[in-house]
Amino acid sequence: MTATGVVHLKKGKERKVRNFYPWIQRGECRAEGVEDGALAQLVDHEGKFLAWGHYNAKSRFHFRVLSTANEPIDEAFFHRRFREALARREGLIEGTDSLRIVHGEADGLPGLIVDRYDRWLVVQVRSLGMEGMKALWLPALMAATGAEGAYERSEMAGREEEGLGPQAGLLAGAVPPEVTMHEDGLKFLVPLHTGLKTGFYLDQRNTRRALAARIRPGQKVFDGFCYTGSFALHAARAGATVYGIDINRDAIEVARRNAAVNGLEAVFVEANAFEYLTTDALGPYDWIVLDPPAIAKTESKRDSLKWAIWRLVHEALPLLKPGGRIVVCNCSYQLNLNETIEVCRLAASDRARPIYLEGVTLQDLDHPALAQFPESLYLKCVWLRG
Ligand code: SAH
C-alpha cells in the first residue's frame, strides 16, 4: 500500500509521538490532500519523519500512529505486530483458553481489537484506517494465530465519528454462533454472533478471580449487572448463594445455561438493577457486585455516570450486611479512579455510613494499559467494605 499524503504536526507536539502517545488530535496537525482513512506519513515542523499512521479528518483523532519506524506498512508488518502481541501474552495468564490478543493502541494496532475464544477470534474494528486495511491485516491475523475462523462485531457507537456504520459478520474461516470457553475449570457459553461486545468480559477475569478467592462458603452474593453470569458463577463455585440480575433477557438465559453446564445453583432474574435494588427482599448480602455498562463514552456523559454510580452505591448500602463488601466497577475512561472513589464516598456519607476502601482491581493483563496513554486504562473496580 502506498501513502497518499503527508500530515504535518505542529511544532512541540512531536514529544507526544516520541513518548508513545498514539493519537494526534484535531488542531494539532495539518494535512493537504490526504484522504480520510488513508495511510499517511506524519512529519515534524521541519518535515522530518515521525511516524506512519492513519489519517481521518472526520475523527477527533486526526492521526493514529501505527509505527514510529520508517518501514513498509504491509501484511508482513501486521504479521510482526500480531506475533509481538501474542509473545507479550505468553505465560501471562493461566487457567483459561480465552484471551484478548490485540488491545488496539496498547499493542501498536490502533483501532483494532481481537479476542480469542479457544480456536475462534472475535474482531472489532474501531477506525476507518483499520477498516481500509482489512485486506492486509486479516490474512496476517489468521496466519499468526492459526485460528479456525474470525467473526466481526464492530457495532460500537464510536465508529460513527469515524464515518463508519455498525458491521457484523464472518471475516474468515468458520465461526459457530456459540462456543464454550474455559476459565479456572468453569465453562462459559459465549454467544459470538449475538453477545455484548465480543461475547464475554475477559477484562474482568482478575476481578472475578479475586472475588472467588475471598468468598466464604455460605455467603450471599448479589451480582447487579450479571450478563452471562461470570461473577455469579465464580462465586457460586466458591460456595456462595448467588443472585444475578440483568436487564437483558438473552444474557439471563445464557447465565442460566451456564449455571446448568457447570452443575451450579444460582438465581438469575431479568430486571432493571436500579429498580431491583430499591425493592429487594432477598438481602442482606455479604457481597454486592455492581458492574454497570459504559455509561460515559464521552466527556458530556460524565455526570450521568457519576449519578448512576452514586445511586447504585446509595441503594446497595442498606442491603449490605454489617462488614459486607461492595465491588463497584467503572469501565469508562472518562471517570478516573479517584473520581469513582469520591462518588462512592459521597453515596456512603449520604447514608451516614462509614465506608472502607479495601482495594482496587484493574482490567486484566491481556488488556494492557500503556502508562503514556492514559486512555488505555479504562476499567477500575473499587472494593469497599461497609
Ligand atoms: N459483569 C458482567 C458484565 C456486565 S456488562 C461480566 O463480567 O460478564 C453490563 C451488563 O449490564 C450487561 O449485561 C447489560 O445487559 C446490563 N444492564 C444494562 N443496564 C442494566 C440495568 N439497568 N439493570 C440491569 N442490567 C443492566
Side-chain angles (χ1 to χ4, degrees):
M1 181 169 285
T2 49
T4 58
V6 173
V7 177
H8 299 265
L9 192 62
K10 284 200 176 150
K11 195 174 172 184
K13 296 291 173 192
E14 59 281 355
R15 267 191 59 212
K16 252 175 97 157
V17 179
R18 294 211 175 95
N19 201 21
F20 310 105
Y21 190 84
W23 291 342
I24 306 302
Q25 320 276 354
R26 182 173 287 152
E28 294 179 344
C29 63
R30 175 175 59 77
E32 276 151 38
V34 184
E35 276 174 43
D36 284 347
L39 178 70
Q41 211 178 111
L42 185 73
V43 299
D44 70 9
H45 67 284
E46 291 172 339
K48 283 208 292 274
F49 172 86
L50 286 169
W52 285 107
H54 291 138
Y55 179 77
N56 187 357
K58 283 195 198 76
S59 167
R60 254 173 309 159
F61 316 114
H62 265 28
F63 188 90
R64 294 173 193 245
V65 175
L66 273 167
S67 176
T68 50
N70 198 350
E71 60 185 332
I73 306 298
D74 51 13
E75 197 174 317
F77 164 82
F78 284 107
H79 196 266
R80 274 197 309 282
R81 279 281 197 270
F82 292 132
R83 303 285 315 168
E84 286 160 9
L86 290 170
R88 212 166 278 138
R89 288 160 175 78
E90 233 161 56
L92 190 66
I93 293 167
E94 306 287 344
T96 182
D97 53 15
S98 301
L99 280 186
R100 172 151 298 187
I101 57 170
V102 176
H103 189 52
E105 281 75 355
D107 278 307
L109 290 161
L112 189 64
I113 299 291
V114 184
D115 285 347
R116 177 165 59 75
Y117 295 103
D118 194 359
R119 287 165 285 149
W120 297 277
L121 307 178
V122 182
V123 174
Q124 289 189 328
V125 180
R126 298 185 175 186
S127 72
L128 188 62
M130 273 299 175
E131 178 66 37
M133 282 197 169
K134 251 183 193 161
L136 290 182
W137 57 255
L138 187 56
L141 177 65
M142 299 314 286
T145 58
E148 281 185 16
Y151 199 87
E152 180 169 7
R153 294 295 310 278
S154 303
E155 292 142 306
M156 63 295 291
R159 276 171 59 106
E160 261 169 53
E161 182 180 341
E162 289 285 316
L164 291 165
Q167 173 74 32
L170 189 66
L171 284 176
V175 178
E178 185 176 272
V179 302
T180 302
M181 64 153 278
H182 299 83
E183 188 174 274
D184 300 344
L186 287 170
K187 292 188 188 111
F188 290 101
L189 304 168
V190 187
L192 298 185
H193 298 187
T194 55
L196 296 180
K197 299 225 280 186
T198 71
F200 193 79
Y201 288 82
L202 297 170
D203 53 0
Q204 288 282 28
R205 182 191 308 106
N206 55 329
T207 300
R208 286 192 281 279
R209 288 178 164 174
L211 178 73
R214 293 193 58 194
I215 298 267
R216 295 293 155 254
Q219 287 189 324
K220 215 154 140 185
V221 176
F222 176 92
D223 183 4
F225 298 80
C226 68
Y227 185 47
T228 53
S230 78
F231 278 100
L233 295 175
H234 270 271
R237 207 251 311 259
T241 305
V242 300
Y243 301 88
I245 306 297
D246 203 283
I247 205 163
N248 179 331
R249 171 169 305 176
D250 296 341
I252 288 294
E253 257 168 38
V254 177
R256 289 182 182 142
R257 288 171 59 214
N258 279 335
V261 295
N262 289 289
L264 291 168
E265 293 280 329
V267 178
F268 289 109
V269 181
E270 179 194 340
N272 182 329
F274 290 90
E275 290 163 13
Y276 192 91
L277 279 169
T278 60
T279 55
D280 183 276
L282 300 167
Y285 300 97
D286 297 282
W287 292 89
I288 296 181
V289 179
L290 301 167
D291 182 18
I295 298 167
K297 293 244 168 68
T298 57
E299 185 70 19
S300 62
K301 299 265 173 65
R302 268 168 52 86
D303 283 346
S304 327
L305 177 60
K306 281 189 182 173
W307 166 236
I309 295 179
W310 180 90
R311 233 177 107 196
L312 286 172
V313 176
H314 194 255
E315 299 308 335
L317 278 166
L319 299 176
L320 203 61
K321 284 187 188 168
R325 269 87 178 188
I326 306 183
V327 183
V328 184
C329 309
N330 166 13
C331 60
S332 300
Y333 158 75
Q334 302 292 342
L335 197 68
N336 71 27
L337 174 62
N338 284 336
E339 292 168 322
T340 310
I341 295 170
E342 168 82 359
V343 174
C344 297
R345 180 180 69 73
L346 289 174
S349 298
D350 289 336
R351 286 279 185 206
R353 293 185 53 161
I355 199 148
Y356 297 85
L357 182 58
E358 289 195 327
V360 172
T361 44
L362 307 175
Q363 65 216 43
D364 208 353
L365 298 178
D366 51 339
H367 299 61
L370 172 65
Q372 287 98 337
F373 178 44
E375 290 84 345
S376 64
L377 173 60
Y378 64 100
L379 177 60
K380 295 85 52 183
C381 305
V382 177
W383 294 60
L384 304 166
R385 175 163 56 84

